[in-house]
Every structure is written in structure tokens, then in C-alpha cells.
Amino acid sequence: MIWREIRILLFISHQIDFHYRNNMNRLLQRLRGSNFSSLFIGNLIYTISQWLIVVSISKLGNVSMVGEYSLALAITAPIILFLNFQLRNFQATDAKNEYSFKDYLTLRIGMLIIAFIILISISILSNYSFHQAMIILTIGLAKIIESISDIYFGLFQKKEHMNFISYSMITKGIGSVLVISLVLYWSQNLLYATGSMVIIWFLILVFVDIKNQSRFIEEKNKTQFSKSNILNLKRLLQMTLPLGIVATLDSLINNIPRYFLERVSGPEYLGYYSGIAYIMIAGGTFMGAMLQASSPSMSRLFHSDIHLFSKKVKKLTLYSIMIGVFGILISASMGKWILTLMYNREYGYFNNVFILIMIASLFWYISSTLGAALTASRFIKFQVPIFLISGILVLLFSFILIPRYNMIGAAICIIIGMMTRMIISYFCLSFVLKRESYTKASSVVLSEN
């Protein structure tokens, strides 16, 4: 009887594996048709999945768990982002193949080792409980695994195989939600849930990303950890360091108020704030896809026709304003109902915070558009002081507003930071456009003479 049941189970598992492989192959074929749409779908599902994780923790756990999870993300994100140096973007645009895949992977792993040492030091030296410190380290491990996958994504992007990226992100996103929900429901322990997510992400790295990388024969031998070209790594580090600074400052602008809120009001209010603030990411996903699709054409127009470049930037800015205003109107008219539906009744009491977050989103979308225009015009150096000034103002106002106004103060700090970033970006872009117009006009006059 037992052997008969085992044979039946083996037959069922074989059928499930067969249908799963066929369905995933069909999915990959569909995704391969359009690099942009496949990348957008992957990013969208992954973003929704990250939000569903917060929802699952709030529904299956409690608001304090949401605060613990958000605090761990707020601590790990700036460190990981800085030491990532945006290597994927640099790698994907390395058209001259100045650096090998091994160079990118070696630098990434070296920086991630430093990042984990920093996270261990923060966990030991800070006054966090042992439970909270372990959650920080667990989330840090998950982000480290994700950062290694990111280098493989850079290779796939360079080879224009966005379907590999999309499949990995979809699998990672859905797998994360399922495993965290199941483990949290079973154990009521956030540490167990985040630990299970680390295992899932590691399995996806090994059996999806590394396996797909092996399809590129010319890159296969470059992943061996032999003696690296130290000079190449040094040059690569110098080239990408400013990108790391910008990414870190961007993360800090959003996370500085959370640090203050956790210290002043505790993890419960941080949980409410983080759940509400995550909604602005939904519009950010759409904006990101729109700007990524428009960046190549903006770059070409900047060098060929500055008038059309300016016209395109104005059109994209108008779209970003429309999306931001729509978010504000929705939060003002249906915010309480949306928060109650997405989380629970307690969140609905903080609709005023939701409205302020949506106002901050409006400035965020506009400043992102202006920042994309600066990047397309290759004036990246302007972005470091822009983010630095915005970050300093957020820090100063967090000292003043959050102890007095709690979550409302945190939301106002984000508004100040995003508005500052938008205003300075506007003046920098105006300067770039005027200088470029003057340069081209001078070239025409010289050519006529």
C-alpha cells in the first residue's frame, strides 16, 4: 500500500513539473517579444509583491512587526545601495566591454562583504533588542543575495535578454509573498519569516540567475574567482563611486524621517507610516518605466535637437504632474476607504498622512523626470549636490517637526525634501538648456563664417 502511494505521488510530481516547465517556457517566449514590456511586468509584479509582504505582516502579524520590518529595510537600504555603486546600470551600458563580467561580480561581492560587516557592527553597537538585530541581519542577507542577482541582471540587460530578468523578479516576488505569509501564519515569528525569504532568494539566485547566465558561453569562464585585475577594479570603483553616493542620498531622504519616527514614537507608528508611504511606490513604478523608455530618445534629442529635447521634457513633466495630482485627489476623496481595505481600520484613521504622502509623491515624480533629463544630457555631476542639499534639509526638519507632529511631521519632511530636489533640478536643467542652446548657436555662427 505504501509503495503504491509513493508511486502515485511520484507520478503526480512528475506531471506538475512537466506542466510547470511548459507553462514557464511559454511565458518566457511571450516575454521575449518585448524587452520593455517584459521588464515592466517583472518590475510591476515585484513591486506589488513587496507591498503585499507589508500587507501580509500587518494582517497575519501586527503593526509592531511592520515597524520592525520597515526599520530593518530603512537601516540596510542606504548601506547596500551605496556599496552597490549602481554597477548594473554601468555594466549594461558598457558597450566597449572595458570591464569583464568577473570584474563587476568581484567588485560587487567585495563591497557586499564590507556592507555585511557594517550591518553587524550597527546591530551590536546600537541599542536594538536581539530579535530586532537579527531581523536587520536577515534582511541584510536577503539584500546581499538580491545585489548579487543584480549583477547577473546587468549581464542579461546588456545581452538584451530582459525575459530572464523578468522571470527571476516574478519568481522572487511571488515566492517571497507566499513563504512569508505561510511561515508567519504558522509561527507568528517575523524572524522565521524573513529567514525563509533569504532561503528562497538564494535558491532563485543559484537555480535561476546563475543557470541562465551559463547560457552565455563567452561569459562562462569569466565568473571563475581567479586573481583579478586590481587596476581594472580600481578604475571601475572610481567611475561608479558618484553613482553610489547619489543612490545613498536618495534612499536617506526617504528613510531619515523613519529613523526619527522609530526613536520618537516607537515601531508601531513607524509601521503605520511605512505602510502608508509604500503606496507612493505604485506611481513610482509607472513613472520609472516611462522614464526608462524615454531616456534613450531624450539622450539622442539632446545632441541633435535641443528644442525637441526641451519639448519632450515638458511633455514628460506634464504626465508626471497629472499622475501626482490624480494621486492627491484619490487620497483626499477615498483615502480612508483605501487604507482600510488595503490594511485595516486603524490605518484609515491616518488619512491626513496619506494625503501629505501623495503631495510628496507629486514633487517626487516631477523631480524624477527632471533628474532623468539631466542624466540624458550627461550632467550627472549636478545630481550629487542636489540630493545632498535635499538630504540636509530633511535631516534638519526631522529634528524640528517629528518630535512635535509625529507622522504628520515625517510626511512634511518628505515634502520639503522632494520640493527642494524639484526646484534645484529645474534650475540646473534650465542652466544646461541655455548653455547648450548658446553653444549650438555659436557653432552655427562659426560655421557660417
Side-chain angles (χ1 to χ4, degrees), residues 34-106:
S34 171
N35 281 328
F36 167 71
S37 62
S38 66
L39 196 58
F40 175 71
I41 291 169
N43 275 290
L44 181 63
I45 292 176
Y46 183 76
T47 302
I48 293 172
S49 300
Q50 297 308 295
W51 168 71
L52 286 175
I53 289 174
V54 178
V55 174
S56 298
I57 296 172
S58 68
K59 297 283 189 182
L60 300 173
N62 53 58
V63 70
S64 294
M65 287 186 183
V66 177
E68 291 170 350
Y69 180 77
S70 301
L71 179 62
L73 288 175
I75 290 172
T76 56
I79 297 168
I80 299 292
L81 275 173
F82 172 64
L83 293 171
N84 273 351
F85 298 143
Q86 295 191 44
L87 278 177
R88 173 183 165 183
N89 293 336
F90 195 84
Q91 175 188 9
T93 55
D94 185 11
K96 296 181 180 179
N97 295 313
E98 293 182 89
Y99 305 97
S100 67
F101 177 78
K102 183 188 72 174
D103 292 330
Y104 290 106
L105 189 59
T106 303

Side-chain angles (χ1 to χ4, degrees), residues 299-429:
S299 182
R300 289 193 298 270
L301 288 173
F302 180 79
H303 295 290
S304 60
D305 193 325
I306 197 68
H307 175 70
L308 289 178
F309 172 81
S310 179
K311 191 175 180 181
K312 188 172 185 67
V313 173
K314 289 178 182 177
K315 184 188 294 185
L316 291 171
T317 304
L318 179 62
Y319 290 155
S320 63
I321 292 172
M322 290 170 62
I323 295 169
V325 171
F326 178 75
I328 295 171
L329 293 175
I330 290 294
S331 64
S333 59
M334 304 170 59
K336 187 174 182 179
W337 178 79
I338 291 171
L339 292 175
T340 303
L341 179 66
M342 291 172 59
Y343 299 108
N344 55 46
R345 188 179 298 174
E346 284 74 20
Y347 280 85
Y349 297 138
F350 301 107
N351 186 44
N352 51 354
V353 178
F354 186 22
I355 294 171
L356 292 173
I357 290 293
M358 288 298 100
I359 293 172
S361 299
L362 169 64
F363 297 127
W364 181 39
Y365 301 154
I366 297 171
S367 62
S368 297
T369 303
L370 299 175
L374 285 171
T375 301
S377 61
R378 287 296 180 266
F379 283 85
I380 301 174
K381 62 181 180 180
F382 284 152
Q383 297 190 42
V384 175
I386 289 172
F387 281 90
L388 185 61
I389 294 169
S390 301
I392 291 171
L393 285 176
V394 169
L395 180 63
L396 290 175
F397 279 96
S398 293
F399 271 110
I400 300 169
L401 298 177
I402 294 177
R404 296 181 65 183
Y405 302 107
N406 207 298
M407 290 196 295
I408 290 178
I412 292 173
C413 289
I414 296 296
I415 292 175
I416 292 170
M418 295 302 175
M419 196 191 316
T420 303
R421 178 179 159 191
M422 179 193 72
I423 293 170
I424 302 176
S425 296
Y426 170 77
F427 283 111
C428 288
L429 186 61

Side-chain angles (χ1 to χ4, degrees), residues 421-439:
R421 178 179 159 191
M422 179 193 72
I423 293 170
I424 302 176
S425 296
Y426 170 77
F427 283 111
C428 288
L429 186 61
S430 299
F431 169 77
V432 169
L433 291 174
K434 287 179 182 177
R435 196 175 86 164
E436 191 66 18
S437 298
Y438 177 78
T439 302

